[in-house]
Amino acid sequence: MAPRRAGAALRDGKACACYDIALLLLCAVGVIRAIDDQASFTYEPAGAAEKDGVGAALQFTFLWCPMLPSGTSFYGTGESSGPLERTGKLVITWNTDAWDYGPGTTSLYQSHPWVLAVLPDGKALGVLADTTCRCEVVKTFRERGIPCDVVWMDIDYMDGFRCFTFSHRFPDPKCMVDDLHSVGCKAIWMLDPGIKNESGYFVFDSGLESDVWVQKEDKQPFVGEVWPGDCVFPDFTCERARSWWSGLVRQFVSNGVDGLWNDMNEPAVFNTATKTMPESNIHRGDANIGGLQNHPYYHNVYGMLMAKSTYEGMKLANPTKRPFVLTRAGFIGQQRYAAMWTGDNVSNWEHLHMSIAMVLQLGLSGQPFAGPDIGGFAGNATPKLFGRWMGVGALFPFSRGHSDKGSLDHEPWSFGEECEEVCRLALLRRYRLLPHIYTLFYLSHTNGTPVAAPVYFADPQDLELRKIETSFLLGSLLVCASTCPDKGAHESSQKLPKGIWLPFDFGDSHPDLPMMFLRGGAVLPIGLPLNHVGEAKLDDNLSLIIALDENGKAEGVLFEDDGDGYEFLQGNYLLTYYVAELHSSVVTVKVARTEGSWKRPNRNLKINILLGGGAMVSTHGIDGEDLHLTMPTESEVSSLVATSELELKKQMVRPIPDIDKPLGKEVAELSEIPIDLNGEDWLVKVVPQIGGRIISMTHLPSDSQWLHSTNRINGYEEYNAAEDTAGCTEEYKVIRRYREQSGKEESICLEGDIGGGLVLQRQISICKENPKIVKIDSSIRAKQGADHSASNGIKREILPDSGELTFEGVLRPNGEWMLVDKRTNLSLVNCFDLSQVSICKLHWGTDHLNMELWSEQRAVSKDTPLRICHHYEVRKIN
């Protein structure tokens, strides 16, 4: 089947709805690749379609015609890790439970098959592939003056992880919520799709009676393991199941539920290679969305349909309130029902950096209400990391902290006084900026603009702005952060868009907080510092921060309504357009026009005119009346700016102590901090503490990543096959290691005690004489002369579908085997000594591939070790 071509017409730099896209809902996996000079959107199936016993793979590509010019930049694909600018990057649209993901992870929790192309002249066009295929805290915050509006209830509130139930630790949830409300906090509770398969559990019984479960091929309910154990799953693709779920939500809200968050809704299933339900499962979908289909057809929209059902249930419970739903999994268009967070991220600097680009990509893909778990979900943040993350995260559209049950406490005060103060300042910034942020959400609601946008939005023709990943725009406000542990934002070189950009703060500048700039020509509405939004009143004092443009003018807008409900749809709101103009040394600020039926509140108005260097001059008046301010002379401005800059320097002398900094080389290598082996062709990351696990292998010439995992799971590792587990859970006691950086090679040598008198020795090296290969030399030896029985296994993880093969004897590969990536015409070749390898094994699922080399199993002595020596290289496919 040949693809139809997609085209787009340009008008005033915007893409018009002129797409002619083939909607081929035939594939289980959608792969989107943006290649410089032309946009290529490739779709491939997860497995082969069989016909007459012969496997056949479907593939089609969307091409732009004519070809796009050199210098075109690509963005979009929604929730995706890695860089903001996506040119040449691979994204696989397949909702995946991606715990502890990294910059090279190709599939995360949501699928947004949308790509935005920004041309060299700043004009833009986009393409949407309309296919679903795999394409005590209540009180401590208040006492310490740290703003907080929500307490989030994870699944531990449930009785045995059964949805819509409460454990004995929550005997009266309504009373508890009332207590939270009394101090201005709301309660948001988690609901997962996995329903415990247990007769007598009212949710299971009612679902069984209503016939709402996803089915297997034999028409019986599919049972998969999640947190409660064996579970069944609602089939949200059919109206019957959605109504059933909405009814449960409606009843659940009566317990004082203020909002709900949906987790594990990719849907995630434990103990499966694919991390989800089988592709053969049956969904009895509504006729208007596809009808009866196997799981791959609906996989990527399962989470969004669950969020929709949750949203509708909350609306049924209280039609006059706006439902709040948060979802982990989703699809393009889900912003109609839910906010989202970026899943199980990690407490490290890399994930802090990635979180900015991920929020911006989601905004570009139509999901404005998004943010990460501040401080990281998995692992333990350090004081500097947590404070720095809170500084930028407090200005994301969605802002919350959330950490793994097994991690250390992640409340701001848990990291010491310095970090606590930074978090307090960061959150007070957010609350002061809420009038502006709320206005941006209104504008997003009315015209689809992102709340947080990439810096290049300020000047689409400036190519240097397109790759900036540590700064972003909140309307006319530019936020410049630092994700480098050793430098604050004030110490980093900040690339600003053309025009006037004036720095300012609220007297709260700090080395670990982002810098803020206001675009010349903008008026920024500012509210009071609050502990929670419930403290805000319509007659509170309002402030305007003003940056005049080169013509001495500025304008801005403020949207106000009840903050809840739907009265604004009937015109019950106030939209104010403020203007400022300099004339004869006097700045006049007034209301240019208004929209909506609300009367203006009787309140004071303070105007602040920025001068540069953080300096400003101010005056007061009544909102709605004309205010006049006489500007200082040039010499007075120079003096005010110099004084402000001096005061700023005084504030920048006490960063959060970097107490996590290694005390020396030995300490660093004992930690879980990866060590880089960097050669001409390869960048390899190794974690010494865990037996020298390789967690990343990137081939630099082709910019292809052949391995990505984390410090905790997956990756390349070696293990004693006599053990019950395959190394993932084994931690070796490292007894000797050193790093060589001689002129010949860069290598790491490790030795680990694996028990039973045996030692595992490894050397990972990149040879200077042949930088194309990564060599791994491994052996199991006896400490003493005694004999021991052992076997040596080596594990390697990557990507594609579902099965297992074992090669022994003459069936073994003759010294090499390879993994082929047809999209890039590259192969990863694994070369080994056949005399050292007894068995070669392959087993794979939709999101991983294990390539294993096994030695023979025999007695081991000091003089007769087991050994496997092999290396990797990347070759071009002929």
Side-chain angles (χ1 to χ4, degrees):
M1 180 179 294
R4 297 165 65 193
R5 292 188 172 180
L10 287 174
R11 182 180 302 143
D12 297 328
K14 298 180 180 179
C16 304
C18 185
Y19 306 124
D20 181 25
I21 301 175
L23 306 182
L24 301 182
L25 307 181
L26 302 175
C27 309
V29 180
V31 178
I32 299 181
R33 179 179 292 277
I35 304 172
D36 201 14
D37 296 329
Q38 77 174 36
S40 172
F41 307 99
T42 304
Y43 287 80
E44 298 178 353
E50 294 189 1
K51 183 177 181 180
D52 297 329
V54 179
L58 289 173
Q59 176 174 320
F60 60 93
T61 303
F62 291 124
L63 293 176
W64 289 111
C65 186
M67 292 173 64
L68 296 178
S70 178
T72 298
S73 303
F74 293 93
Y75 301 88
T77 68
E79 185 186 49
S80 52
S81 59
L84 171 65
E85 209 264 347
R86 306 300 294 168
T87 305
K89 301 302 178 184
L90 174 70
V91 176
I92 299 176
T93 56
W94 184 251
N95 292 4
T96 302
D97 180 5
W99 188 91
D100 207 3
Y101 55 84
T105 306
T106 55
S107 298
L108 294 182
Y109 307 92
Q110 304 198 18
S111 295
H112 297 258
W114 147 261
V115 173
L116 172 69
V118 183
L119 305 180
D121 62 1
K123 295 181 179 179
L125 52 86
V127 61
L128 167 66
D130 191 2
T131 169
T132 64
C133 296
R134 175 175 346 179
C135 232
E136 171 189 357
V137 175
V138 168
K139 293 182 180 177
T140 311
F141 274 95
R142 296 291 180 255
E143 291 168 356
R144 294 176 180 267
I146 301 175
C148 178
D149 258 283
V150 174
V151 173
W152 299 80
M153 309 298 173
D154 214 316
I155 55 174
D156 299 278
Y157 80 83
M158 302 176 188
D159 178 15
F161 304 137
R162 298 171 180 86
C163 286
F164 303 104
T165 69
F166 298 92
S167 79
H168 66 279
R169 291 172 294 178
F170 293 78
D172 192 343
K174 181 66 167 64
C175 180
M176 187 199 76
V177 170
D178 289 342
D179 288 342
L180 287 173
H181 289 172
S182 70
V183 293
C185 271
K186 295 180 172 60
I188 296 181
W189 307 75
M190 176 180 282
L191 288 175
D192 289 353
I195 302 300
K196 189 172 180 64
N197 184 24
E198 178 183 69
S199 179
Y201 166 37
F202 75 97
V203 179
F204 172 80
D205 291 343
S206 67
L208 189 65
E209 182 179 351
S210 300
D211 188 24
V212 300
W213 308 130
V214 174
Q215 295 180 343
K216 300 183 296 182
E217 288 179 292
D218 62 5
K219 305 299 192 300
Q220 294 300 307
F222 165 73
V223 178
E225 184 182 351
V226 205
W227 294 115
D230 286 345
C231 289
V232 289
F233 297 80
D235 187 355
F236 293 109
T237 68
C238 67
E239 175 62 30
R240 180 177 64 259
R242 294 196 300 273
S243 296
W244 168 81
W245 182 268
S246 296
L248 290 171
V249 168
R250 180 181 184 179
Q251 298 171 24
F252 190 61
V253 168
S254 65
N255 293 292
V257 171
D258 295 304
L260 292 166
W261 54 312
N262 295 154
D263 193 12
M264 305 293 287
N265 54 340
E266 292 74 33
V269 179
F270 292 164
N271 299 321
T272 64
T274 64
K275 297 185 180 180
T276 190
M277 57 181 60
E279 295 183 356
S280 58
N281 276 6
I282 295 172
H283 293 271
R284 293 166 287 172
D286 297 334
N288 63 333
I289 62 172
L292 185 73
Q293 298 283 351
N294 291 117
H295 180 67
Y297 184 93
Y298 288 117
H299 175 84
N300 284 341
V301 295
Y302 185 90
M304 180 179 71
L305 292 173
M306 179 184 181
K308 178 183 180 181
S309 305
T310 305
Y311 172 91
E312 291 173 345
M314 291 200 70
K315 202 166 183 179
L316 285 171
N318 196 333
T320 63
K321 291 181 69 67
R322 302 175 197 168
F324 179 86
V325 179
L326 180 72
T327 184
R328 188 172 81 174
F331 190 70
I332 200 159
Q334 72 170 26
Q335 72 276 3
R336 295 168 292 173
Y337 314 115
M340 63 80 54
W341 89 106
T342 59
D344 296 340
N345 59 357
V346 184
S347 296
N348 62 37
W349 290 93
E350 184 177 51
H351 273 250
L352 163 58
H353 184 91
M354 284 196 304
S355 67
I356 300 175
M358 293 178 75
V359 169
L360 299 180
Q361 294 286 16
L362 284 159
L364 291 173
S365 303
Q367 175 53 279
F369 204 1
D373 285 340
I374 294 175
F377 174 77
N380 299 310
T382 62
K384 180 175 280 293
L385 172 62
F386 190 85
R388 192 75 68 80
W389 208 329
M390 184 65 76
V392 64
L395 299 180
F396 286 150
F398 176 69
S399 180
R400 76 158 186 181
H402 177 220
S403 59
D404 189 6
K405 183 178 180 180
S407 67
L408 299 176
D409 289 348
H410 273 204
E411 286 77 27
W413 54 86
S414 303
F415 298 97
E417 293 181 0
E418 296 90 348
C419 181
E420 179 183 341
E421 175 63 10
V422 167
C423 293
R424 183 182 297 108
L425 294 173
L427 289 167
L428 286 171
R429 272 188 177 184
R430 178 180 184 82
Y431 280 70
R432 295 209 67 178
L433 288 167
L434 277 182
H436 175 61
I437 294 174
Y438 191 64
T439 299
L440 293 177
F441 270 102
Y442 171 75
L443 296 175
S444 180
H445 163 74
T446 55
N447 59 32
T449 54
V451 173
V455 181
Y456 76 80
F457 268 44
D459 184 8
Q461 294 183 349
D462 187 341
L463 301 184
E464 292 185 30
L465 296 178
R466 298 188 184 183
K467 295 183 183 293
I468 292 179
E469 298 181 346
T470 55
S471 302
F472 58 94
L473 293 167
L474 293 172
S476 57
L477 170 62
L478 174 62
V479 179
C480 296
S482 170
T483 59
C484 174
D486 301 324
K487 285 186 178 181
H490 66 293
E491 299 170 303
S492 306
S493 61
Q494 304 292 351
K495 165 69 176 176
L496 302 179
K498 70 178 180 180
I500 297 172
W501 293 89
L502 298 179
F504 75 97
D505 60 21
F506 303 116
D508 59 358
S509 287
H510 189 281
D512 290 302
L513 288 178
M515 297 181 68
M516 298 187 296
F517 298 84
L518 187 61
R519 177 180 53 78
V523 175
L524 186 73
I526 299 297
L528 298 177
L530 304 170
N531 283 312
H532 58 90
V533 294
E535 292 181 340
K537 299 183 290 294
L538 284 173
D539 58 0
D540 284 342
N541 293 344
L542 180 68
S543 296
L544 302 177
I545 297 180
I546 300 170
L548 298 175
D549 64 15
E550 59 274 9
N551 298 315
K553 297 181 179 181
E555 61 183 12
V557 63
L558 172 65
F559 175 79
E560 300 171 275
D561 70 351
D562 280 330
D564 200 354
Y566 299 93
E567 289 296 313
F568 74 97
L569 295 175
Q570 279 71 51
N572 292 324
Y573 64 89
L574 178 62
L575 186 65
T576 303
Y577 293 86
Y578 293 98
V579 295
E581 185 171 4
L582 174 65
H583 183 72
S584 300
S585 300
V586 176
V587 174
T588 299
V589 179
K590 61 184 180 180
V591 173
R593 62 188 177 93
T594 63
E595 296 178 14
S597 61
W598 265 22
K599 291 184 178 180
R600 183 167 306 280
N602 182 18
R603 61 190 173 197
N604 296 322
L605 178 67
K606 179 181 180 181
I607 60 171
N608 309 275
I609 311 294
L610 297 180
L611 304 174
M616 63 179 70
V617 289
S618 306
T619 191
H620 298 267
I622 303 298
D623 185 24
E625 299 179 358
D626 292 0
L627 275 71
H628 307 281
L629 187 152
T630 301
M631 294 293 286
T633 64
E634 288 188 14
S635 61
E636 289 172 331
V637 169
S638 297
S639 177
L640 288 169
V641 169
T643 301
S644 176
E645 290 177 340
L646 181 61
E647 184 62 30
L648 181 64
K649 288 183 179 179
K650 293 179 181 178
Q651 292 176 297
M652 294 297 185
V653 296
R654 291 194 62 192
I656 299 173
D658 195 10
I659 62 173
D660 58 306
K661 179 170 288 187
L663 300 177
K665 181 180 179 184
E666 189 74 7
V667 175
E669 291 189 355
L670 276 173
S671 73
E672 292 189 12
I673 299 173
I675 290 178
D676 288 351
L677 291 183
N678 204 336
E680 294 180 22
D681 282 34
W682 287 98
L683 174 61
V684 178
K685 291 182 180 289
V686 183
V687 184
Q689 186 186 45
I690 318 174
R693 177 181 297 160
I694 301 176
I695 61 170
S696 176
M697 291 176 65
T698 302
H699 186 245
L700 301 176
S702 63
D703 191 28
S704 56
Q705 190 169 26
W706 291 92
L707 168 67
H708 169 74
S709 66
T710 72
N711 292 16
R712 299 180 177 208
I713 58 172
N714 301 330
Y716 175 104
E717 59 191 352
E718 302 177 0
Y719 55 91
N720 175 13
E723 300 287 339
D724 290 334
T725 57
C728 282
T729 57
E730 293 182 10
E731 293 191 8
Y732 304 116
K733 179 182 178 184
V734 180
I735 59 177
R736 181 176 67 87
R737 72 206 171 290
Y738 55 89
R739 185 174 182 178
E740 298 177 331
Q741 284 185 294
S742 63
K744 292 186 177 180
E745 65 182 15
E746 178 161 297
S747 67
I748 298 178
C749 300
L750 306 104
E751 227 178 59
D753 186 345
I754 58 175
L758 298 175
V759 171
L760 186 147
Q761 293 184 342
R762 316 181 53 196
Q763 179 166 332
I764 307 165
S765 57
I766 302 174
C767 185
K768 299 288 185 182
E769 295 177 353
N770 189 358
K772 296 183 181 296
I773 69 171
V774 177
K775 183 179 179 182
I776 303 166
D777 193 346
S778 306
S779 63
I780 293 179
R781 303 173 183 271
K783 284 184 179 179
Q784 307 298 330
D787 291 345
H788 302 271
S789 180
S791 178
N792 187 20
I794 298 178
K795 178 178 177 181
R796 170 81 173 88
E797 297 220 1
I798 333 177
L799 277 177
D801 197 80
S802 195
E804 181 171 297
L805 291 173
T806 299
F807 305 95
E808 299 182 67
V810 297
L811 296 179
R812 292 171 297 167
N814 190 24
E816 72 175 41
W817 55 0
M818 67 178 66
L819 177 67
V820 177
D821 184 348
K822 292 183 179 179
R823 293 178 296 268
T824 60
N825 288 324
L826 295 175
S827 65
L828 181 70
V829 184
N830 181 205
C831 303
F832 56 91
D833 185 340
L834 193 61
S835 67
Q836 298 173 347
V837 175
S838 176
I839 300 174
C840 299
K841 286 186 178 181
L842 285 177
H843 53 91
W844 62 95
T846 56
D847 64 343
H848 73 280
L849 170 69
N850 295 349
M851 303 170 68
E852 301 181 359
L853 304 178
W854 291 77
S855 69
E856 63 180 327
Q857 183 164 346
R858 60 166 171 78
V860 173
S861 69
K862 187 176 182 180
D863 298 324
T864 58
L866 282 170
R867 183 184 184 195
I868 293 181
C869 182
H870 63 121
H871 71 259
Y872 289 98
E873 60 182 289
V874 171
R875 297 177 188 169
K876 193 78 174 176
I877 301 173
N878 295 324

